[in-house]
Amino acid sequence: MKHLKATSVLLSAAMCMSMVITPAAVMADETEVPSETLTTESSETKENEKTAPTVNPTPSETDPKATESSEPSGTEEKETDDQVPEEKDSEEKAPEDQPAEESEEPEEDKKEALNSIVASGKCGPKVNWSLDKAGTFKVTGKGSMTGYNCVQTAGTDDYVVDSPWFSRRKEIRKVIVSKGVTTVGSYAFRECSNLVSVSLPTGLKIIGNGAFGFCDSITKISVPKTVTRIGEGAFSSDYKLVSINIPNGVKEISDYTFSFTALTNVVIPSSATGIGKNAFSGCKALKSIKIPSSVKHIDDRAFRNCTSLETVDIAFVGLDWIGTFAFQNCTGLKHFLVPLSVMYLDSQTFGGCGNLEEIEMSETLYDKCKALNHPFIAKAKVFHYLPEGQDFSDEQSVYYRILNPEINGTGTVMLYTIPYSIEKVVIPSVVTGPEGVKYKVIKIDPWAFRYHQNIKSVVIGSNITSIRDNAFENCINLVSVTGGAGLRSIGTRAFKGCTKLKTVIITSKALWKIGPYAFQGDKYLKTIYIKNTTKLAKSGVKNSLKSSSVKTVKVKKTKLKKYKKFFKKKNCGKKVKIKK
């Protein structure tokens, strides 16, 4: 127990360097009803109290009175990221010593409720609080709740929060935050060690730094879907906390947020871009974590001492870096896949992972680790990704050439060639390459289908932006070409000599160019459909239909007049009808 206390003290000290080492004053506007004297805590209880990572509240969460007095006269209060704009309230203000919102109750019930309140006051510009004899703490009103300071008492390991109810924190057993309240203030319920139930409303946006830290009787909390920020250390050292949902809207798992809880399985939402320092450190019951491709960094000591952690389900691409000691002493880990996009590992990232049997990593990362004599290099399994210009084939022996070898999910390829035996060609939007890397298919190579005499139909994938010169030249049995929702250009003589071609329907809105002689010699092609495009340029159709049999071009109704000028004989090489 002393060892655990020492660990927590060190963590707190690291984050409290800038704080004044004096107890904070209690809010002046507190109105407290006399209550029975609390039983003096035993020495054993004091020994069990822990210190948590402590962060100053953001300006938006501080007492509006204090903020107002600290600024020069006539200076408007600045709005911060944590501050949620408040709705204008035309209703009459509630008295300061009463909750701002009350449900409709019979008069007798109201009197009984008022008689049971032992303390109450304000905790925000339009937010009030009350605590009753049963231990129910209610936050009512509209807008932001005040954020409080957590300050270490000089010469001790104890911390004091300047909330008006901090001295009564042991009495709080249930917290109800009413609809209309948009933030839970920093350190508002720190060290409420008897708190077992928390109700948070839809519409809540922010849970402040350390808001529920050291609430070691809480086992589960339901976080509303509207929450976009959970502050640093918000649930730190909630030792019995085994269940919590992280809403898909939270952009960062902050430092120390869930450290020293008993969480077992965690899913990081796809909205999150990072996992902060010590975010899950000391979660000794944590068995699995799922990390999506949206997460770009795992910071230092994020999962340190998660001794039961066995499975890290991490996206193959997306992550940029993993911090020092990130998985230190995760003795349950046997296998770890380092995403392709990670280009550096610190030697202590997996320090103390004595049961780690295999690490999968890219060839590039392996070479770097080998050069630095990393201790886990002997356990590494190398996988490869393809460089620019490299070819690979799919299960149908269709070949693709790498255009962009980036390994963060944005790789692109060009369709290079297909077997002569294929009759119906469906060009995919995305193709899976070696090691499961997915690439967008964005181009068709010049001569990719040239002289393929068995092809009868082609469906163009939605990511294709360019059909390059001569791509389908002399495909003498090709009858129809459809699709191409993302197509921007058709190259010179792209469909030259397709003597049976009858149907060309391009669905793209962005098509701006049809190259010269694109349909030369296509004697059965009478009509081309480009009815969605709004980007066609005059220079983009010059000589496009020259030496073809095309008589009609179907276009968008709103572009009819404009495109008639583009397809004049002087420009495109022959006179054609432009119809809607």
Side-chain angles (χ1 to χ4, degrees):
M1 184 64 71
K2 289 182 179 179
H3 173 70
L4 193 58
K5 180 178 179 181
T7 302
S8 296
V9 170
L10 287 172
L11 290 173
S12 294
M15 303 185 70
C16 299
M17 294 297 290
S18 62
M19 294 186 178
V20 180
I21 313 301
T22 54
V26 175
M27 286 182 65
D29 67 348
E30 177 188 358
T31 308
E32 190 167 306
V33 181
S35 64
E36 297 179 8
T37 305
L38 296 176
T39 306
T40 305
E41 295 173 337
S42 65
S43 58
E44 182 179 353
T45 304
K46 290 182 179 179
E47 177 66 24
N48 286 332
E49 286 190 8
K50 310 297 186 299
T51 53
T54 309
V55 184
N56 281 320
T58 54
S60 65
E61 293 177 337
T62 56
D63 186 351
K65 292 183 179 180
T67 305
E68 193 175 279
S69 63
S70 66
E71 293 184 347
S73 178
T75 302
E76 293 184 3
E77 186 177 345
K78 294 182 179 179
E79 185 174 280
T80 66
D81 291 339
D82 285 357
Q83 194 167 17
V84 178
E86 296 173 344
E87 299 175 10
K88 291 186 179 180
D89 186 11
S90 60
E91 296 178 7
E92 192 175 299
K93 263 192 175 181
E96 289 192 357
D97 60 346
Q98 298 297 333
E101 294 181 355
E102 293 184 358
S103 59
E104 290 297 324
E105 298 177 17
E107 286 299 322
E108 290 183 6
D109 290 345
K110 286 185 179 180
K111 288 179 182 178
E112 185 179 343
L114 289 172
N115 290 334
S116 71
I117 292 175
V118 296
S120 63
K122 285 184 69 65
C123 57
K126 294 183 180 180
V127 183
N128 297 296
W129 68 275
S130 66
L131 175 64
D132 66 21
K133 291 179 181 178
T136 299
F137 189 102
K138 291 184 178 180
V139 182
T140 57
K142 290 185 178 181
S144 298
M145 185 180 177
T146 298
Y148 299 97
N149 295 293
C150 181
V151 184
Q152 187 175 11
T153 305
T156 73
D157 294 334
D158 297 326
Y159 285 78
V160 174
V161 177
D162 61 353
S163 67
W165 55 84
F166 185 69
S167 62
R168 290 184 174 273
R169 64 193 182 280
K170 305 293 183 184
E171 298 176 54
I172 299 174
R173 291 171 172 79
K174 184 177 183 179
V175 168
I176 300 173
V177 180
S178 298
K179 189 172 183 180
V181 178
T182 54
T183 70
V184 175
S186 291
Y187 305 105
F189 302 103
R190 178 186 163 108
E191 295 184 28
C192 292
S193 57
N194 293 313
L195 177 60
V196 295
S197 174
V198 176
S199 176
L200 302 175
T202 299
L204 190 73
K205 300 291 185 184
I206 296 168
I207 297 175
N209 298 335
F212 295 96
F214 293 94
C215 295
D216 49 20
S217 294
I218 295 176
T219 58
K220 63 180 180 178
I221 289 182
S222 179
V223 180
K225 293 179 180 179
T226 51
V227 169
T228 58
R229 180 177 181 272
I230 300 175
E232 296 180 14
F235 300 98
S236 178
S237 300
D238 291 0
Y239 304 110
K240 295 181 182 178
L241 183 63
V242 297
S243 175
I244 191 168
N245 60 301
I246 305 175
N248 191 19
V250 172
K251 294 180 174 60
E252 179 86 10
I253 309 301
S254 303
D255 298 354
Y256 297 94
T257 301
F258 301 105
S259 61
F260 299 103
T261 57
L263 295 174
T264 55
N265 302 294
V266 175
V267 176
I268 305 296
S270 59
S271 57
T273 58
I275 299 174
K277 294 177 181 177
N278 295 286
F280 296 92
S281 63
C283 294
K284 293 187 176 181
L286 185 61
K287 292 185 177 181
S288 70
I289 182 83
K290 186 171 183 179
I291 303 172
S293 59
S294 61
V295 172
K296 302 303 178 186
H297 69 270
I298 297 174
D299 220 322
D300 299 346
R301 304 177 298 279
F303 297 95
R304 187 181 192 181
N305 294 327
C306 293
T307 53
S308 296
L309 184 61
E310 297 176 352
T311 304
V312 180
D313 184 355
I314 190 167
F316 190 68
V317 292
L319 192 69
D320 291 332
W321 59 273
I322 303 175
T324 305
F325 302 112
F327 293 92
Q328 187 187 36
N329 298 329
C330 292
T331 53
L333 276 181
K334 293 184 178 181
H335 173 267
F336 193 93
L337 184 150
V338 182
L340 269 173
S341 39
V342 174
M343 290 290 102
Y344 173 78
L345 278 181
D346 187 274
S347 61
Q348 292 300 318
T349 298
F350 298 99
C353 296
N355 295 313
L356 192 60
E357 297 174 356
E358 184 180 74
I359 299 177
E360 291 187 75
M361 64 179 68
S362 69
E363 186 175 18
T364 303
L365 182 59
Y366 176 82
D367 289 340
K368 289 181 180 179
C369 291
K370 188 176 181 180
L372 295 172
N373 295 314
H374 278 52
F376 48 79
I377 197 65
K379 300 177 180 180
K381 176 184 177 183
V382 180
F383 53 82
H384 307 271
Y385 68 93
L386 300 178
E388 183 178 356
Q390 179 70 50
D391 295 345
F392 67 88
S393 64
D394 63 14
E395 64 278 0
Q396 292 183 312
S397 298
V398 176
Y399 276 82
Y400 300 89
R401 179 161 293 172
I402 304 291
L403 297 176
N404 182 344
E406 288 186 19
I407 48 180
N408 60 359
T410 60
T412 57
V413 295
M414 174 170 61
L415 191 151
Y416 182 59
T417 187
I418 69 168
Y420 282 91
S421 59
I422 295 179
E423 293 185 0
K424 295 182 179 180
V425 176
V426 178
I427 301 172
S429 298
V430 176
V431 65
T432 302
E435 306 293 349
V437 178
K438 295 186 182 300
Y439 298 94
K440 290 182 180 179
V441 185
I442 65 167
K443 292 183 180 180
I444 299 174
D445 189 59
W447 301 290
F449 298 88
R450 195 182 189 194
Y451 294 109
H452 281 55
Q453 297 183 4
N454 289 319
I455 295 176
K456 293 181 179 179
S457 65
V458 173
V459 178
I460 304 169
S462 61
N463 284 329
I464 295 289
T465 60
S466 174
I467 298 174
R468 302 186 65 183
D469 298 349
N470 308 92
F472 293 90
E473 184 178 351
N474 291 325
C475 291
I476 60 174
N477 287 303
L478 179 60
V479 175
S480 70
V481 177
T482 58
L487 193 62
R488 296 176 186 172
S489 66
I490 298 173
T492 302
R493 296 183 176 87
F495 295 93
K496 176 189 174 183
C498 297
T499 53
K500 291 185 180 178
L501 184 60
K502 292 181 179 180
T503 303
V504 174
I505 301 174
I506 304 298
T507 58
S508 174
K509 295 180 180 180
L511 183 68
W512 72 273
K513 179 183 179 181
I514 302 173
Y517 304 95
F519 304 99
Q520 182 180 1
D522 300 350
K523 60 183 179 180
Y524 290 109
L525 183 63
K526 305 300 181 184
T527 302
I528 294 176
Y529 294 82
I530 50 172
K531 297 189 73 170
N532 291 333
T533 183
T534 59
K535 305 294 183 182
L536 210 59
K538 184 177 181 179
S539 60
V541 297
K542 189 173 183 180
N543 292 323
S544 58
L545 303 179
K546 196 169 185 178
S547 301
S548 75
S549 297
V550 176
K551 295 181 178 179
T552 305
V553 179
K554 294 289 186 75
V555 302
K556 196 174 185 68
K557 182 180 179 180
T558 56
K559 295 292 180 179
L560 193 61
K561 186 176 180 180
K562 187 175 184 179
Y563 288 172
K564 280 183 178 180
K565 295 179 181 179
F566 293 177
F567 283 94
K568 286 185 176 180
K569 183 177 181 180
K570 184 178 179 181
N571 187 50
C572 72
K574 64 176 298 182
K575 188 175 181 179
V576 295
K577 293 180 180 179
I578 308 301
K579 295 183 178 182
K580 61 181 179 179

